[in-house]
Amino acid sequence: MKKLETTLLIAAVCIMAVFSMFFRLMFAKDSSNDNKSQKTLLVHAASSLTEAFQEVGTEFEKDTGVKVDFNFAGSQALYNMIKQGEKGDIFASASLKYMEDLEKDGLAEPYSVFAENKIVICRSNGYKGDITSLKDLGKTGLRLVLADKSVPVGSYFYTALDNACKSGSVSAEDKDKILKNVVSSEVNVKDVLGKVLLGEADCGVVYNTDLSAA
């Protein structure tokens, strides 16, 4: 597995990715799911939380005797599962939008923000070009992998790119070059990271915590 380098952390892409949690999802509020007698906790969590939540889950099981089952996936995929009737106790999403929609639809109780993150550009060791500004992602021949716009980390990047255009730090021509370099749009941040680790892309946009885990 190739080591990754964090090559860029600039204002244009330092959007806070807010992770929040729904406690006791209302679609799991039947009497058999009473917290006092519950022996298993089903947690739907964004894939970017995998390592952190697995560690926390292990400690929680030791302290409480309650087993924790995790379902890790992209926030948009988890949201769709819940909308379609998937049961669960906790939803930890990387997007406020999905949580607000579920709460509005009466499928979840009010959420709480419990952590913040940042998106960063990572570069494979196999790519020797310099990445010193956002517009460098538009260099000829660079292979860029992003998450799909429906995925929070992808949405954050495209918003940051639009903001950079509005501020003038990136031109419309630069933006077009960057978008033309996108070779793959993934369904979650782990898949973006995997493409870079395998050398299938030169650069990718992930959360800062994903680099720490890798």
Side-chain angles (χ1 to χ4, degrees), residues 43-97:
V43 179
H44 301 294
S47 57
S48 51
L49 294 168
T50 300
E51 291 81 11
F53 267 32
Q54 285 177 334
E55 184 176 343
V56 171
T58 298
E59 293 301 316
F60 183 81
E61 289 179 345
K62 290 179 181 178
D63 292 342
T64 65
V66 176
K67 187 177 185 300
V68 183
D69 286 338
F70 289 108
N71 176 28
F72 293 109
S75 296
Q76 79 290 350
L78 296 172
Y79 167 80
N80 289 329
M81 291 178 194
I82 294 169
K83 290 281 286 186
Q84 293 169 12
E86 186 75 20
K87 301 296 182 181
D89 301 292
I90 293 173
F91 176 37
S93 171
S95 170
L96 291 172
K97 175 183 181 298

Side-chain angles (χ1 to χ4, degrees), residues 4 9 36 42 44 49 61 68 75 80-81 92 95 101 103 121 124 146 162 169 194 200:
L4 269 70
L9 185 57
K36 295 180 180 179
L42 176 56
H44 301 294
L49 294 168
E61 289 179 345
V68 183
S75 296
N80 289 329
M81 291 178 194
S95 170
D101 286 350
E103 185 179 339
I121 294 173
S124 169
L146 301 172
D162 287 341
S169 59
E200 296 177 10

Side-chain angles (χ1 to χ4, degrees), residues 110-125:
Y111 62 85
S112 299
V113 175
F114 67 90
E116 293 181 338
N117 212 336
K118 291 182 179 180
I119 60 172
V120 297
I121 294 173
C122 62
R123 181 182 66 181
S124 169
N125 277 354

Side-chain angles (χ1 to χ4, degrees), residues 28 33 50 54 75-76 87-88 92 97 102 120 128 159 161 163 167 178 184 189 195:
N33 200 39
T50 300
Q54 285 177 334
S75 296
Q76 79 290 350
K87 301 296 182 181
K97 175 183 181 298
L102 288 178
V120 297
K128 302 305 180 183
T159 299
L161 183 58
N163 289 341
S167 69
I178 291 171
S184 179
V189 69
K195 292 278 188 180

Side-chain angles (χ1 to χ4, degrees), residues 2-16:
K2 294 183 177 181
K3 181 181 177 183
L4 269 70
E5 300 175 21
T6 304
T7 60
L8 186 62
L9 185 57
I10 60 176
V13 292
C14 287
I15 289 184
M16 286 295 185

Side-chain angles (χ1 to χ4, degrees), residues 128-143:
K128 302 305 180 183
D130 291 330
I131 304 294
T132 59
S133 67
L134 183 60
K135 67 180 182 180
D136 285 338
L137 292 180
K139 286 185 174 182
T140 301
L142 183 144
R143 299 170 301 163

